[in-house]
Amino acid sequence: MTILRPTFLRLRAMSLRILPGHAWGKVRALGPTAQGLGLVLAVLAVVGPVLPVAIFVLLILFMIYATWAYSINLITGMTGYVSFGHVVFVGTGGYALGYGVKVWNIAPFAGVALGGVLGAVLALVIGVVTLRLRGAYFAIATLVTPLAAFYIVSGTPALGDGSGLPMNLGFQIGSQYYTIWALLAAEVALTWWVTRGRLGLGIRALREDEDAARAVGISVSRVKLILYILSGGFAGAAGAVFAWYVSGVFPDSFNLLFSLTMLAMIIIGGMGTVLGPMLGAVIVLIPHQILIRILPQGEPIAIGVSVILIALFLPGGIVGTIRQYVPDARRYFE
Amino acid sequence: MAEVGTVVASLVYGVLLGFVFAAIAHGLNLIWGVTKVVNAAHGEFIMLGAYGAYFLNLAWGLDPLLASVVDAGLGLAVGVVFYFAFLYRELRGKDEIGLQSELVTLVATFGLSLVLVNVGIIAWKGDPRGLRYNPGNIVLGGLSVPLGGVYVGLASLGIIAISHVFLSRTYLGNAIRAYSQDIAAAKLMGVNPTSVAAIATGIGFAMTMAGGAFLTVYLRAGITPFVGLTYAPISFVIVVLGGRGKMWGSLVGGVTIGVLLDVLQVFVPVEIAYAAAFLVVIPVLALAPEGILR
Amino acid sequence: MSQPSAKETAPSAPKAGRGKIIAIVVAVLILVAIAAAAVYYLVQPTPTGIIKIGFTISKTGTYTVEGTNSLNGILAATAWVNAHGGVTARGTSYQLVLDYVDDQSQASNVPTLYAQIVTQDNAQFLLAPYSSPLTAPAAPIADQYGRVMLSHGGASNTIYQQGYQNVVGVLSPASMYLRGAIDYIKANHATDNLAFLYASDSFSSIAGSYAAAYAQSIGLNVVYNQSYPTSVTDLSTQLTAAKNAGADDLLGGGHFTDGVLVMQQLSGVGWTPKLISLLVAVTEPSFQAQLPGVSNNVTGPSQWERSVVFTPAIASAAGFEWYGPSGAEFTSLYGNMTSAATPTYHSAEAAAAIFVLAHAIQAANSLNTTQVRAELGSMKLMTFFGKFQVNSAGLQVAHEMIVDQWQAAALKVVWPTAVAVSPLQYPYTGG
């Protein structure tokens, strides 16, 4: 550690020169988690273009999944409402981009924006009805929405019915990369922001005991609905980027596997935390790239076993568990 | 447009379909009603029951109706093991099952479902395995009805009736009901909460796996390790519609979905009928969270 | 969990030691994992003197069965080419080397894997994954890096409507599947009323809807036209409706399970169509095994059957060149490599992709993408799989579908009459 210190000081001195003093103070006040995540995002933004194409393409997928993980974290992690059907926003965003690009000839960026808006609107519609339900009832009510959406798009000629909407936008990985980077950065910042201050307090109270939170004057239903709308918006926008990434959108975009993967990511990383979804995305996707070449069948089983063990024995996931057992580390793991 | 004959036929087929659905959802209904937590891996135990029936048929030529009895025996054991592996830690010593327990078990059993589907794929590949069991048809007027479906319907009705009698007339049944209504009071009455919940889970699994055997009669085209992914959501919807813990609710929910699916198809595209059959659960939950049955 | 945020600004340097170490350890572990993964990809040697063909294949997930059969076909075909002197271009003989990864039947894996296959493994030629939703993400990479990509399992026509430069299909597109049966009806029973009932997945919906339109365009009477979801569990309502609409013949289906479902429920609803033609399911041996009796006289389209023999003589008579083994030779090679399995048409079309590519490289006398693509665009080739000729979009136009029928527990080719081994039995009698 002592060897590192001079380097660290020199680095800090360098950054002090780049940033004015008061701004540096603000960065410091963010705390290690926000600094660390900020650093990761900054590095991603800077090194992206010099990376080999295959890794660049992989990073797009990673950021799409991380955006989804943060999205489901906003509702399921923050409030404990398990959004099993979260993929409905992914598919909706994808179809928004596919339809916009194919029928209205809009730019993919506009398609991503449209996907975000439609995701948010759909979340509003679903949320108004279902957020009054608790526990498994909410999980089931949301579970049926992607199933229904799958059948609806399969039977809608304007959406290509079973053939979906394949599209040829070329190999636009640069635009995809920075679009999803911006979405992820915005979502991480939002997640960090909603966990502190009054709103954060309200959310924590809601998760611990919804009735008690309501009794002390927190407008529980509004908080839940806002979180759900934000969550749906980000999932929809990232779903649109995903459709762009795989050059098409098909009924299978409503495959429940996506819901399950994002859920597994936040369970493993730590639900309702700022760092958890990012850790979960890394932990699920890095082994994926290796397992797919050596043991493709073992991968879902490994994820399943991890989810079981973590749910039963370490319900806080990685971040929650470290915070629980190593109080000193709480500063670094939020 | 639609002929009366078509509507009547679809009504009959819908009811038969509803009976199959009721059979596969019934175990979930019991477990959810008693323990208050949801088994997200429900579909995979249907799948295991179906493979059980398939292999019993392959090895000894048992027809699926007989195989369902063997499946039920297996299910009882599997259910008790499942209870101690997945639910016990979370439920023991609690007089009230909170949302936190519901969340933990939902997530843990979701992990189990991932594991079981993929173990199924490794063990039995993805190709459909079908049973050769076809007792023929009966013709009623202009309407031809497959006998296999009728047998399954009767068996399903029988199971639901028996479980109703069991819960209301026997000592063990009463203990289970007492536990499901108020754990603290049940304990005061001398009910051992752990054994009652474990037995109820075992019975639920027995019925689930028997339901899987019935499914092979209906899905003669073949079962795959993925069948659970189709039938688990249908089971959830059925239990919600009928009301968890209400034994006749399985039948009400199952027949509602079956009839809705088949009759709607006469009037709207099939895809829309399927979507509607799933979406119906949302207004029902919003208006009558305890299900259609009062 | 609910740590008050006010505490965080408090200076706690000595206390935080353990936490900081854990934070650093976690960060280092993640960095090491990422670095290891990066090194794993980057340290891939690039061998020379060979032609590397890269692709992803579905060994797990939804398309496990089709993907495995296709892969076996590709392996057998590659073994044949390599055992017969490899591929010769500009006087050099090249051995074919395959570079493939499981895509788990998921589109999300395809961009990364094809990017790796092209930019790191340096595959010179590509095969497309199985199915159209997986082909779509691979196609822009093939175009970007100028690699010819032969499609052996994406029958859906929509892929060829996207303006991709380098995607070339070896198999008949979905729109052709049910034409044989319709042509037979037009020629022999032109007054029959037709019912179309087909799955709404990518492939089947195109097969069904194009077929219904084709039937109407040649003056046949279509009285029922309906799609159903792939995960369908009950078709009694549709079959009853088709029967009540006065249909004589039933065409459609989708994949194996729904095809068998149709047959089982037909007897359940008491309808005996005069002619039944179903996609995919009928040509599977287990169709007959599961439906003994009932399957008799049921017809279905096929891309390929072992009984249909193509030879160099037939090729030259039709003005086509010939490449590759005979059907019998391929079948026995395939059996040797797969512990006595029989090739399915998925195996055959995937094998054909390798033979077509090998011949195109030889004919172009070049490994250059543009020249090989041009050769693929103009060449007329026959293999054991049948004819190969594509239009400017890369869509297969020459390969002919055949119609099979179960007759006395054997699958017989019944249409077109030129290759039929037995006349089509009409009507279907219900077994």
Side-chain angles (χ1 to χ4, degrees), chain B residues 171 174-176 178-179 183 185-196:
Chain B
Y171 172 76
N174 278 320
I176 292 175
Y179 175 89
I183 299 174
K187 278 201 279 197
L188 286 178
M189 283 159 45
V191 170
N192 177 342
T194 298
S195 30
V196 163

Side-chain angles (χ1 to χ4, degrees), chain A:
Chain A
M1 289 312 136
T2 42
I3 307 164
L4 285 176
R5 190 148 288 267
T7 326
F8 175 71
L9 287 175
R10 213 175 306 135
L11 277 176
R12 203 167 75 173
M14 264 171 61
S15 48
L16 275 174
R17 242 173 283 136
I18 299 166
L19 284 174
H22 63 279
W24 180 245
K26 273 186 188 164
V27 171
R28 266 184 59 176
L30 290 176
T33 299
Q35 289 167 358
L37 284 170
L39 189 66
V40 168
L41 286 165
V43 168
L44 282 176
V46 174
V47 303
V50 301
L51 288 174
V53 172
I55 291 176
F56 191 74
V57 172
L58 174 62
L59 281 175
I60 299 173
L61 184 69
F62 167 74
M63 289 194 285
I64 290 171
Y65 268 102
T67 308
W68 285 338
Y70 274 98
S71 155
I72 198 168
N73 188 46
L74 279 175
I75 182 71
T76 302
M78 297 289 168
T79 67
Y81 279 67
V82 180
S83 179
F84 256 135
H86 219 63
V87 66
V88 75
F89 305 120
V90 170
T92 303
Y95 270 95
L97 178 123
Y99 192 81
V101 164
K102 291 209 79 123
V103 179
W104 300 326
N105 269 316
I106 60 174
F109 294 112
V112 173
L114 185 64
V117 171
L118 275 187
V121 170
L122 186 64
L124 171 68
V125 173
I126 298 176
V128 163
V129 185
T130 61
L131 281 168
R132 297 187 302 164
L133 307 166
R134 297 244 182 126
Y137 287 114
F138 174 80
I140 291 169
T142 58
L143 173 71
V144 299
T145 54
L147 298 171
F150 172 88
Y151 291 119
I152 291 170
V153 298
S154 298
T156 306
L159 298 175
D161 41 46
S163 309
L165 301 169
M167 52 199 164
N168 184 3
L169 293 167
F171 194 54
Q172 304 175 329
I173 50 174
S175 315
Q176 292 166 7
Y177 187 92
Y178 284 102
T179 307
I180 192 66
W181 182 90
L183 281 172
L184 178 61
E187 203 182 17
V188 170
L190 178 80
T191 304
W192 182 82
W193 181 71
V194 301
T195 51
R196 39 213 60 222
R198 266 185 60 80
L199 188 55
L201 226 59
I203 289 169
R204 275 193 287 270
L206 190 170
R207 185 171 45 196
E208 298 303 323
D209 187 338
E210 190 168 330
D211 297 314
R214 192 173 278 125
V216 300
I218 293 166
S219 55
V220 169
S221 38
R222 196 194 297 167
V223 170
K224 285 188 296 188
L225 192 59
I226 290 174
L227 286 174
Y228 197 50
I229 291 171
L230 288 169
S231 169
F234 276 106
V241 178
F242 181 71
W244 189 4
Y245 180 69
V246 298
S247 302
V249 56
F250 303 90
D252 206 40
S253 305
F254 290 102
N255 192 333
L256 281 175
L257 206 62
F258 290 110
S259 288
L260 304 184
T261 309
M262 45 183 124
L263 198 55
M265 284 175 175
I266 63 165
I267 292 165
I268 293 171
M271 293 221 253
T273 62
V274 183
L275 196 57
M278 185 70 84
L279 277 182
V282 170
I283 288 169
V284 171
L285 272 186
I286 298 282
H288 169 81
Q289 295 307 315
I290 295 166
L291 285 173
I292 201 172
R293 282 178 182 259
I294 57 177
L295 194 65
Q297 258 157 349
E299 189 199 353
I301 296 178
I303 294 178
V305 170
S306 321
V307 166
I308 295 172
L309 294 178
I310 288 182
L312 289 179
F313 302 104
L314 306 170
I318 293 173
V319 174
T321 305
I322 292 178
R323 286 174 63 90
Q324 189 183 346
Y325 292 106
V326 193
D328 297 350
R330 287 192 184 172
R331 276 187 66 220
Y332 303 96
F333 296 92
E334 287 179 45

Side-chain angles (χ1 to χ4, degrees), chain B residues 6 144 218 220 231 262 265 271, chain C residues 227 233-234 238 244 264 268:
Chain B
T6 312
S144 163
Y218 175 68
R220 277 181 297 158
Y231 291 95
D262 275 358
Q265 288 177 19
E271 289 85 0
Chain C
S227 66
T233 51
D234 191 0
Q238 286 73 29
N244 291 349
Q264 286 162 342

